[in-house]
Amino acid sequence: MSLQGKVALVTGSAQGIGKSIARALSEDGADCIISDVNLELAEKAAEEIRTFGRKAIALKANVADSDEVSAMIQTGIAELGKIDILVNNAGITRDGLLMRMKDEDWDQVLSINLKGAFLCCRAVARPMMKQRSGRIINIASIVGAMGNVGQANYVASKAGLIGLTKTVARELASRGVTCNAVAPGFIDTAMTRSLPEDVKEDLSARIPMGKLGTPEDVAGAVRFLASDAAAYVTGQVIHVNGGMYM
């Protein structure tokens, strides 16, 4: 699944799952644009990728801001020549029960998780259509398919992202651009490691494979969708959840 000669933009990739995705794509040969609101961490992530012999630049961008997204895409193309792969990974949570959820918590999550992906898809659509090739991969979530207590805003954003994926796939398919989603289940990250042990044990018990996934598990699905091996795959959702949702 060589990505030699390709350029990948991964949003929210200064750390966590996004960083693992950027690293995996670079290991397959892609040059990378590390986009994040934390420029210092993004620079460190880009430096790690450069040690693999790949080109990498770090850009600060709030994906919920149309002007910043446009500037990010323009700068990325100016510095690396093109964008072949877009991974919409940037996202936040602001959890709370429906009856207590504040307007600003709903608005902020939908703005970054869903509007941000829309803005990035729109910004890369024209250059990808012009080059008649491209891969757009949206990082959704298991809860976007099955729901989750206390996450009305996050679930709505991820369910919306799945719908956006299917529409973008239909609109861009004739120009050689695919759009798919990867929906992770519960993944072993800094956030899940901070959960109480009894909560983690309960989560593992609900997963047929009996364990949490890793960021590398998610990155593996992205690697496939970004490659020529997935040239005839579009509009699909790949669930990476150990069997928790089937």
Side-chain angles (χ1 to χ4, degrees):
M1 296 193 292
S2 173
L3 297 176
Q4 292 289 336
K6 304 293 186 181
V7 176
L9 163 61
V10 185
T11 67
S13 54
Q15 56 190 329
I17 291 174
K19 182 178 177 180
S20 293
I21 290 171
R23 178 171 180 147
L25 296 178
S26 68
E27 287 174 348
D28 285 346
D31 295 329
C32 288
I33 302 165
I34 305 298
S35 165
D36 206 279
V37 291
N38 188 324
L39 185 58
E40 182 179 356
L41 284 180
E43 290 282 8
K44 290 180 180 178
E47 179 57 34
E48 287 183 30
I49 287 174
R50 286 193 286 269
T51 64
F52 306 149
R54 307 313 314 165
K55 295 178 182 177
I57 61 172
L59 298 177
K60 181 177 181 179
N62 172 9
V63 295
D65 185 294
S66 180
D67 291 338
E68 291 193 26
V69 168
S70 295
M72 172 182 68
I73 300 301
Q74 291 171 11
T75 302
I77 292 175
E79 295 202 23
L80 294 181
K82 58 180 179 173
I83 295 175
D84 300 291
I85 302 158
L86 166 66
V87 182
N88 283 310
N89 170 76
I92 63 168
T93 58
R94 295 289 184 271
D95 295 348
L97 292 174
L98 175 70
M99 293 185 297
R100 300 172 187 166
M101 186 170 288
K102 298 177 181 178
D103 290 0
E104 54 265 34
D105 289 338
W106 173 273
D107 292 342
Q108 190 172 17
V109 169
L110 269 291
S111 183
I112 293 173
N113 296 9
L114 184 54
K115 181 184 176 183
F118 155 71
L119 291 175
C120 291
C121 287
R122 187 177 68 179
V124 301
R126 193 177 299 278
M128 283 186 176
M129 290 171 71
K130 186 176 181 180
Q131 66 194 26
R132 301 192 73 84
S133 67
R135 300 281 188 271
I136 298 173
I137 302 157
N138 296 321
I139 305 303
S141 170
I142 184 175
V143 301
M146 61 183 283
N148 199 33
V149 173
Q151 289 193 309
N153 48 4
Y154 185 76
V155 169
S157 72
K158 295 302 185 178
L161 190 55
I162 291 171
L164 176 66
T165 297
K166 294 177 181 293
T167 295
V168 173
R170 288 186 180 275
E171 291 190 4
L172 304 186
S174 65
R175 299 300 182 93
V177 180
T178 67
C179 183
N180 295 284
V182 173
F186 289 93
I187 304 300
D188 184 11
T189 62
M191 182 176 70
T192 54
R193 283 193 291 273
S194 67
L195 294 172
E197 282 302 317
D198 60 330
V199 174
K200 287 190 284 188
E201 289 175 6
D202 178 64
L203 281 176
S204 295
R206 293 161 57 194
I207 301 169
M209 292 188 73
K211 61 180 181 178
L212 302 185
T214 67
E216 290 73 27
D217 291 326
V218 180
V222 174
R223 290 171 98 151
F224 165 67
L225 291 172
S227 74
D228 287 343
Y232 199 56
V233 179
T234 196
Q236 304 305 307
V237 182
I238 295 182
H239 286 274
V240 182
N241 58 42
M244 188 174 182
Y245 174 83
M246 301 184 188

